[in-house]
Amino acid sequence: MEKMVKTFPQHKCNWLKGRFAFYKYQEFWNIQEFLEGGILAQQSFKARPSDVFLCSAPKTGTTWLKALAFAILTRHQYDESTSPLLKTMPNECIPLLEKDLEQVEDNHKNSCFPLVGTHLPYSSLPESILTSNCKIVYIYRNIKDVIVSHYHFLREAAKLPMEDAPFEEAFDEFCEGKSWCGPYWDHILGYWKARLERPEIILFLKYEDMRKDPTSNVKRLAEFIGYPFTIEEEKAGVIESIIKMCSFENLSNLEVNKYGKHRAKESNIAIENRHFFRKAKDGDWENYFTNEMIENVDKLIDQKLSATDLVLK
Ligand SMILES: Nc1ncnc2c1ncn2[C@@H]1O[C@H](COP(=O)(O)OS(=O)(=O)O)[C@@H](OP(=O)(O)O)[C@H]1O
């Protein structure tokens, strides 16, 4: 598999001093380890109709969505003082299809745990997910904050200080579509088009909307994945407790997320958990973008998403 991936078009990120390479497969750029796992999943994964996929382009709110979905699903087993989320980072509570296939298959054999994460674009999802009519939750976020989040995450992964990783170059590459699972707009468009055809199995959530109105979005999420809150639960404040437990403030201050390491055994992709919890600030892009960048990215998004009702600016 490694040999095959090396034959795909390669892009070495200049702004990361070439420490990171993306490979292009089925029109999207990905990191070698995740691409190999994605191809393996395409070849062998057999979805169950009850599986629920939490799909996202990187840096759009994946970790938050995973925490919320996990807390919703396990609320009868655990409360906010016993939840595994207090000791395990959310991305390890829910396996990623393209990296943790064995765990997903173990869950199929040994439990009825339905949640699976993936960054794969819609067009690269294993066929069985689509033919089994599995439910899909897709989270997206405004492109400007994603560009900044993506910049810092990859910069930290490459262990480069900001002065050695020019933001302008990272911005240009992202806008050329050369980002992790990019082009970002095509990632969104793939799921968006699929939702038009199959609205009953695809739920779209927007990061900024979830920030503004977490209660109704968490309710929508719970209903969609088949674990709706009862009136008694609503009255007892269960939704608010889940929102509080999964908040950035709470999760980012937990020991595991401050000092733990994600995929610690895989030296190529191991990274400190704290890098998944940076600032979570809407509009942080204002600290990075020049007027020219704002104009360019707005034009790009107008051009790419004009046929949709999506607001990405
Ligand atoms: N609980 C919670 N609530 C709100 N926001 C949160 C939360 N957890 C993580 N974050 C912010 O999400 C950004 C990381 O995106 P992802 O989780 O999609 O990253 S990844 O794809 O899993 O690598 C990253 O955004 P930035 O801070 O703007 O970089 C995180 O800080």
Side-chain angles (χ1 to χ4, degrees), residues 243-259:
I243 291 170
K244 197 166 163 206
M245 179 172 70
C246 298
S247 68
F248 179 80
E249 292 65 31
N250 186 51
L251 293 182
S252 63
N253 281 308
L254 296 173
E255 197 87 347
V256 60
N257 295 328
K258 272 181 160 174
Y259 307 113

Side-chain angles (χ1 to χ4, degrees), residues 58-64 91 119 141 149 153 207 211 246-248 251 276-280:
K59 315 324 294 176
T60 58
T62 317
T63 310
W64 190 19
N91 291 350
H119 287 315
R141 185 181 187 189
S149 188
F153 189 77
Y207 180 91
R211 305 276 303 200
C246 298
S247 68
F248 179 80
L251 293 182
F276 290 86
F277 303 90
R278 192 183 62 92
K279 269 193 182 173

Side-chain angles (χ1 to χ4, degrees), residues 22-249:
F22 294 132
Y23 293 88
K24 195 176 195 180
Y25 175 68
Q26 297 181 335
E27 304 306 319
F28 288 85
W29 295 97
N30 208 340
I31 294 163
Q32 185 184 334
E33 287 77 2
F34 291 75
L35 182 49
E36 286 173 14
I39 296 173
L40 197 67
Q42 285 182 334
Q43 291 169 348
S44 66
F45 178 63
K46 298 274 173 290
R48 284 194 310 203
S50 54
D51 287 339
V52 176
F53 288 84
L54 306 179
C55 305
S56 58
K59 315 324 294 176
T60 58
T62 317
T63 310
W64 190 19
L65 175 62
K66 284 185 171 176
L68 288 168
F70 184 87
I72 290 168
L73 191 93
T74 59
R75 67 185 187 272
H76 301 304
Q77 282 155 272
Y78 311 109
D79 63 22
E80 56 281 8
S81 65
T82 56
S83 174
L85 286 165
L86 304 178
K87 298 255 166 66
T88 313
M89 101 96 132
N91 291 350
E92 288 178 6
C93 290
I94 297 181
L96 191 74
L97 181 66
E98 58 270 38
K99 271 307 294 171
D100 309 306
L101 190 56
E102 255 179 59
Q103 197 190 330
V104 180
E105 287 171 348
D106 275 359
N107 286 347
H108 278 182
K109 276 189 215 129
N110 305 321
S111 76
C112 51
F113 187 80
L115 302 175
V116 185
T118 184
H119 287 315
L120 290 177
Y122 186 81
S123 51
S124 294
L125 290 178
E127 190 62 28
S128 66
I129 298 178
L130 311 181
T131 52
S132 305
N133 289 322
C134 296
K135 284 191 176 168
I136 290 176
V137 181
Y138 187 76
I139 187 163
Y140 69 107
R141 185 181 187 189
N142 93 66
I143 186 169
K144 293 171 188 151
D145 281 330
V146 172
I147 293 176
V148 172
S149 188
H150 181 267
Y151 164 76
H152 283 295
F153 189 77
L154 292 191
R155 181 184 63 69
E156 295 285 5
K159 302 198 184 338
L160 284 170
M162 279 181 72
E163 52 277 21
D164 292 340
F167 177 74
E168 307 69 41
E169 286 181 29
F171 173 89
D172 287 344
E173 288 192 8
F174 196 104
C175 292
E176 283 163 21
K178 291 170 182 147
S179 62
W180 182 11
C181 293
Y184 178 50
W185 46 91
D186 285 339
H187 199 284
I188 299 176
L189 271 176
Y191 283 92
W192 186 83
K193 284 180 188 155
R195 187 190 58 156
L196 286 184
E197 283 163 27
R198 314 167 87 190
E200 66 294 348
I201 59 161
I202 304 184
L203 173 72
F204 259 54
L205 293 175
K206 188 173 182 189
Y207 180 91
E208 289 77 14
D209 293 346
M210 289 173 57
R211 305 276 303 200
K212 274 190 221 128
D213 183 0
T215 307
S216 50
N217 282 290
V218 166
K219 271 173 78 171
R220 278 173 78 203
L221 174 62
E223 270 162 34
F224 183 78
I225 66 176
Y227 292 79
F229 294 101
T230 61
I231 297 191
E232 290 71 32
E233 282 182 309
E234 284 195 33
K235 280 192 190 145
V238 175
I239 302 179
E240 283 69 28
S241 300
I242 286 177
I243 291 170
K244 197 166 163 206
M245 179 172 70
C246 298
S247 68
F248 179 80
E249 292 65 31

